Amino acid sequence: MNQEEICRFICQELPRHRLQSLLESIDAAFNKSDKHLKETYRHVPLVGPGPQSHHFMVQEALLSLPEGDGFQVINRATKPAGGHFALISAGAIKITASVVTADRVPPIREAKFRRELRQENARLQQQHPDLFEAFVPPFGPQDDAIHALLLPYATKWSETDHSAPLSCIIAVPYSDDLNSYHLWVDVGQLWQYYGEAEGGLADIAYPKLRDRMRNAEAQAKEEGGKG
């Protein structure tokens, strides 16, 4: 599957200013949460309240984004009930965000990414268990939109500064296997494709992209079965 094509499709569906507002909101949420934690916890180690504070501050910031022109933010409840998260709908993509704890080095190298996948998926499953039902694509049948994850990385909680993300990954998981991804890149790589779109490239039709993604998943499953 061509990752550049998926990047172009995301930029086609999500206007530049909307992506900018998403990233600015996440940055502001990190800063606000960091200040709250430093003012509130003087003796309790932040490894407990820190991740929850950052997660919910990010969800609150995203849920406060203005809507319009096909851009909508929905307050989704988790299954089983007990939590809420922002579901962003923009054209034929749906986006959710989840804060990831990492080391000081931005986790964008392939080897590090593979080592962290199993642990990250287990943590995401706790927050969004409805995404992980066996053989059920995220948010129901993958007929009208693809699901993208925004993953801002926070430094490990033994450190003192959590006021900004180390990096932010955008990922598109397989429809029935969140241990595999069609796309996993630093979100900064998207900016170049907005320039291309303005140059008059033909729009990417979602049904064709969806079919190619499903074919890639089927091929990967077949090759995995042979191994």
Side-chain angles (χ1 to χ4, degrees):
M1 188 67 212
N2 190 331
Q3 293 198 1
E4 290 188 1
E5 186 176 23
I6 299 176
C7 287
R8 290 191 179 98
F9 181 77
I10 291 172
C11 295
Q12 170 186 300
E13 301 297 295
L14 182 69
R16 184 197 300 262
H17 72 281
R18 294 295 189 182
L19 177 60
Q20 184 70 39
S21 66
L22 281 173
L23 298 180
E24 289 176 352
S25 295
I26 290 172
D27 284 346
F30 265 60
N31 187 262
K32 183 176 181 180
S33 178
D34 184 59
K35 289 181 178 179
H36 166 75
L37 290 167
K38 288 176 178 175
E39 291 172 355
T40 306
Y41 300 100
R42 303 296 176 88
H43 307 290
V44 174
L46 295 185
V47 67
Q52 283 195 343
S53 176
H54 268 40
H55 172 74
F56 288 114
M57 286 287 190
V58 166
Q59 303 308 314
E60 181 68 22
L62 297 180
L63 287 166
S64 302
L65 289 172
E67 299 183 350
D69 299 326
F71 183 89
Q72 184 181 14
V73 187
I74 305 164
N75 194 343
R76 276 288 290 256
T78 59
K79 298 177 184 178
H84 290 265
F85 62 95
L87 169 60
I88 297 163
S89 179
I93 62 172
K94 289 181 170 63
I95 302 170
T96 55
S98 189
V99 178
V100 181
T101 300
D103 294 330
R104 273 291 183 187
V105 178
I108 58 177
R109 291 177 298 176
E110 183 74 8
K112 188 175 182 62
F113 147 62
R114 291 193 180 280
R115 289 197 302 269
E116 292 179 344
L117 265 182
R118 187 174 301 277
Q119 179 179 356
E120 171 57 16
N121 284 328
R123 194 189 61 77
L124 287 172
Q125 185 172 8
Q126 293 176 357
Q127 292 183 3
H128 311 312
D130 53 324
L131 304 186
F132 287 78
E133 297 176 12
F135 307 110
V136 177
F139 305 114
Q142 199 175 22
D143 291 330
D144 61 346
I146 63 173
H147 174 218
L149 288 166
L150 265 181
L151 303 174
Y153 275 75
T155 189
K156 58 185 180 180
W157 291 97
S158 58
E159 303 290 345
T160 58
D161 183 13
H162 307 93
S163 60
L166 284 171
S167 64
C168 189
I169 297 296
I170 187 161
V172 175
Y174 275 30
S175 63
D176 61 357
D177 179 9
L178 272 81
N179 285 308
S180 300
Y181 292 84
H182 293 288
L183 178 72
W184 182 284
V185 298
D186 190 281
V187 72
Q189 294 188 33
L190 291 182
W191 298 117
Q192 61 184 309
Y193 298 105
Y194 285 108
E196 288 184 355
E198 292 167 358
L201 288 178
D203 286 350
I204 299 171
Y206 173 67
K208 292 182 179 180
L209 178 63
R210 177 199 60 204
D211 291 344
R212 283 196 287 274
M213 291 170 68
R214 288 177 174 173
N215 288 338
E217 293 176 16
Q219 183 177 352
K221 187 177 295 185
E222 182 180 345
E223 292 175 353
K226 292 178 180 178

